[in-house]
Amino acid sequence: MTAQKSAQIDKYTQFVSRGFGKDLAKRLGLPQPAILRRYSPGAPLVEGPVLVVGHTSGADSVASVLLSWGLDVRRHATPKEKLGAIVLVLDELAHPDQLSAPLLVAGASVRDLARNARVVSISREAIASDVPEMAAARNSIDGIVRSLAKELRAGATANGIVLANGTGAADPSPVSAMRFFLSGRSAFVDGQFLRASGEGSTELVDWDRPLKGRVAVVTGAARGIGAAIARTLARDGAQVIVVDVPGAGDHLASVANEIHGTALQLDITVTEAGARILDHATQRYGRLDIVVHNAGITRDKLLANMDASKWDSVIAVNISAQLRMNQAFLASSHFTTHPRIISVASTSGIAGNRGQTNYAASKAGVIGMVRSTAPLLAERGGTVNAVAPGFIETDMTAKIPFATREIARRLNSLQQGGRPSDVAEAIAYFASEASSGVSANVLRICGQNLVGA
Amino acid sequence: MTAQKSAQIDKYTQFVSRGFGKDLAKRLGLPQPAILRRYSPGAPLVEGPVLVVGHTSGADSVASVLLSWGLDVRRHATPKEKLGAIVLVLDELAHPDQLSAPLLVAGASVRDLARNARVVSISREAIASDVPEMAAARNSIDGIVRSLAKELRAGATANGIVLANGTGAADPSPVSAMRFFLSGRSAFVDGQFLRASGEGSTELVDWDRPLKGRVAVVTGAARGIGAAIARTLARDGAQVIVVDVPGAGDHLASVANEIHGTALQLDITVTEAGARILDHATQRYGRLDIVVHNAGITRDKLLANMDASKWDSVIAVNISAQLRMNQAFLASSHFTTHPRIISVASTSGIAGNRGQTNYAASKAGVIGMVRSTAPLLAERGGTVNAVAPGFIETDMTAKIPFATREIARRLNSLQQGGRPSDVAEAIAYFASEASSGVSANVLRICGQNLVGA
């Protein structure tokens, strides 16, 4: 979706952001969603100094990385100075009693956060074999970040990086995750965590063209989120093959032309779909590096009214086709250079949704698939992850009745729907070679949506 | 809380349940929460026949167990017959394509579910080493059950049991979990899962007095949820020690008298709290079997306004005290016979909550603690679990302003708040010797609350 189109669809956010509309919304106590800061190449990574909280050597290393990116780094808050971000490094917690000092320091600076600021925590994964005191301290960050995300205003978000055992706060993958969270690429990600191990390399990354020279395929790419993914991967340097059903041929060709990619008309549910994609990729580009499983359909019905055709078609397109294609990709010698698979799941697959037992089954299935495909990708130095979009503004959601749409849109901490580009940016992040240590993650792109679980 | 008091607090649910109020609510499109079926000794386990869906030997065994409980069991739906429950046995799924048949059978009977009916799935845990097809199929149940829970009406709920590797659908712990979900004990549990391994024994369980002869301690037991826990454990046959701060002495004594238990006035944050409880338990009863960490406080403030005393007191009471007491219990030779620890966490510890960074930290900490304490309990044949209450009607929530309270109450699939007894029933379930194969679980008691995550 173009920026212009998004603006048309969410006129409300524009209206209440300034002048008369802003006054009116304030008087009536209406939600006043912020206009989110989104990434564009060349824009500043964060808008304002970054306060690094924490006294460990990990915190020092993180500060050095931020300095190397040309950012204004503070190790102590300067009274009244507006901050672009707070990075909270808590990589050596051993007991919940140790939370107080750093959290009170961070808290004292929350009021100084600029619009669209970022809070990023860096902590360590709690595992069953930790001593209970350490596991408690480590897991407490989950509650803190999710609560803080609900407290922040004006487009600011709070997210966290969870380090695997043995990984340092300034190792390549955590650094790449931190950059994602600080940047406008994560505009609609709020209250979420990325688990990162130390692998990867940030030394050779061109942060504005991180996918340079990589070959990607995107299914369901003729319109909506799929087209946005194709555009974003191309913008980040990838050569992109866009796939969609023959019926969407014109739209597909237009997306392919726009991004200087190639189009492949294909029904992904046919047995040979994986082989067809591989043939196309190897003939045109010599190999395949990145697979984005975006194609998906909905056939909503209450389970009480469900019929076999609605159930089966959703399962066939949304999960069974991916499983079959992945088998083909994993068997191929052309999908071996830091390969990446990224699947588009859904918050419905995490929390369920009324009228979507079939869709939620398929998307929860995708999550199960991602977790058990990760070891297979790891064998060849690759990763597989999923994104789980919440309410994203598309032509499809534009057809939802006004009141229902307004409620669905506002029922998250950012009080607005996301854009297809927000989903695309997260996928591009996972696709990057700098994200080698990030696998089997399911990242919600939902503005911290209240969908239960 | 007594039934009378709950009724006063939620007059709305009563009002819209019959006569003029019911008509009015219907005309205005207001929520019409059902009056939930809650457990009382001697009441029928389910109200109506139970349809067992599934063609595996596990399904046959489950049907036998249900028959042995005197239930009316159906292996095929009888048209138009009202059902008390559907048990969906999917313990041999290998591919998402296998979901269609059993789900369509179940779906065709959803309309025949009686008020306060139950849907219980029994499936198998998806693990990273599964082949992707199997992991996808297994994990899809998560999306299905959570969606269906949002579709059911009139107090009906849908929950699931997830079998560990090697555990059969009719092994003792899954059977005990199934009984909990079918019964009125799980009235306010919706869209949730229990993971169960095969251990335990249901042969010797007196289902109406499952805690007979066991010695339990409940902290924070002078009022509210703690008092309800003490009453429920006593009703189920346990000898109960109620603990609270000296300031709550009168209330505490009255609870102790009511349940024929003993009272111990104790500040749980003192170093010797664990030893004091052990001394009391062994002197009066010779040992300690069940520990319920219920004591907890809130000191809500936005992190921007947080001070050290509010932060530290919440951490000290809600998590650090538990960690220290558990060390004492685990070092004792009097806490060794199928020991049970159950902690009261909170949905705030899972999803975060505005104004509760300190509280959410402590409750997320409890969840981390439970998971890493489980291996230590397992060494001595014990378990440790947590419950995570959502909006529960107490004297505390009765003080929330009307509009806020009404919204918080209705923002879940059952459109109402829970009762302290709902939390207590789940704790009694975890405390039972039949739940030996259920450890490191965090069970939400929240009516499938929309709190995000």
Side-chain angles (χ1 to χ4, degrees), chain A residues 97 100 111 305 312 320 453, chain B residues 97 100 111 146 305 312 320:
Chain A
D97 292 347
S100 180
R111 225 176 268 295
N305 304 329
D312 293 341
S320 298
Chain B
D97 292 347
S100 179
R111 225 176 269 296
R146 293 184 201 271
N305 304 329
D312 293 341
S320 298

Side-chain angles (χ1 to χ4, degrees), chain A residues 95-97 99-101 103-104 106-108 110-111 126-133 135-137 139-148 150-153 190-192 301-309 311-312 315-316 319-320 323-324 327 348-358 360-369 371-373 375-376 411 444 446 448-453, chain B residues 95-97 99-101 103-104 106-108 110-111 126-133 135-137 139-148 150-153 190-192 301-309 311-312 315-316 319-320 323-324 327 348-358 360-369 371-373 375-376 411 444 446 448-453:
Chain A
H95 194 287
D97 292 347
L99 295 164
S100 180
L103 264 300
L104 290 169
V110 165
R111 225 176 268 295
I127 53 176
S129 58
D130 286 339
V131 296
E133 288 72 15
N139 208 58
S140 70
I141 306 304
D142 202 271
I144 293 169
V145 169
R146 293 184 201 269
S147 297
L148 182 57
K150 292 180 178 180
E151 297 181 4
L152 296 178
R153 290 291 173 257
D190 200 10
Q192 304 305 313
K301 275 281 170 197
L302 295 178
L303 186 62
N305 304 329
M306 188 68 69
D307 61 42
S309 100
W311 182 279
D312 293 341
I315 298 292
I319 174 67
S320 298
L323 287 162
R324 201 161 40 235
Q327 279 191 349
S348 293
I350 297 171
N353 198 15
R354 188 164 190 273
Q356 296 200 313
T357 48
N358 51 353
S362 72
K363 295 302 191 178
V366 163
I367 291 169
M369 175 193 76
R371 290 184 182 143
S372 70
T373 304
L376 308 178
L411 215 59
R444 287 171 59 152
C446 69
Q448 200 176 32
N449 200 343
L450 295 186
V451 292
Chain B
H95 194 288
D97 292 347
L99 294 165
S100 179
L103 264 300
L104 290 169
V110 164
R111 225 176 269 296
I127 53 177
S129 57
D130 286 339
V131 296
E133 288 72 16
N139 208 57
S140 69
I141 306 303
D142 202 271
I144 293 170
V145 169
R146 293 184 201 271
S147 296
L148 182 55
K150 291 180 178 180
E151 296 180 4
L152 296 178
R153 290 291 173 258
D190 199 10
Q192 305 305 312
K301 275 282 170 196
L302 295 178
L303 186 63
N305 304 329
M306 188 67 69
D307 61 42
S309 100
W311 183 279
D312 293 341
I315 298 293
I319 175 67
S320 298
L323 287 162
R324 200 161 41 232
Q327 279 191 349
S348 293
I350 297 170
N353 198 13
R354 188 162 190 272
Q356 296 201 313
T357 48
N358 52 352
S362 71
K363 295 301 191 178
V366 164
I367 291 169
M369 175 193 77
R371 290 183 182 144
S372 70
T373 304
L376 308 178
L411 215 59
R444 287 171 60 151
C446 69
Q448 200 176 33
N449 200 343
L450 297 185
V451 293

Side-chain angles (χ1 to χ4, degrees), chain B residues 100-184:
Chain B
S100 179
L103 264 300
L104 290 169
V105 167
S109 288
V110 164
R111 225 176 269 296
D112 295 325
L113 287 171
R115 295 181 69 78
N116 282 303
R118 297 285 187 267
V119 177
V120 181
S121 71
I122 303 178
S123 61
R124 208 163 276 286
E125 190 170 19
I127 53 177
S129 57
D130 286 339
V131 296
E133 288 72 16
M134 184 174 277
R138 290 174 169 182
N139 208 57
S140 69
I141 306 303
D142 202 271
I144 293 170
V145 169
R146 293 184 201 271
S147 296
L148 182 55
K150 291 180 178 180
E151 296 180 4
L152 296 178
R153 290 291 173 258
T157 63
N159 293 288
I161 298 161
V162 178
L163 306 171
N165 231 336
T167 297
D171 278 355
S173 280
V175 162
S176 164
M178 177 171 69
R179 193 171 171 109
F180 171 70
F181 281 141
L182 289 175
S183 77

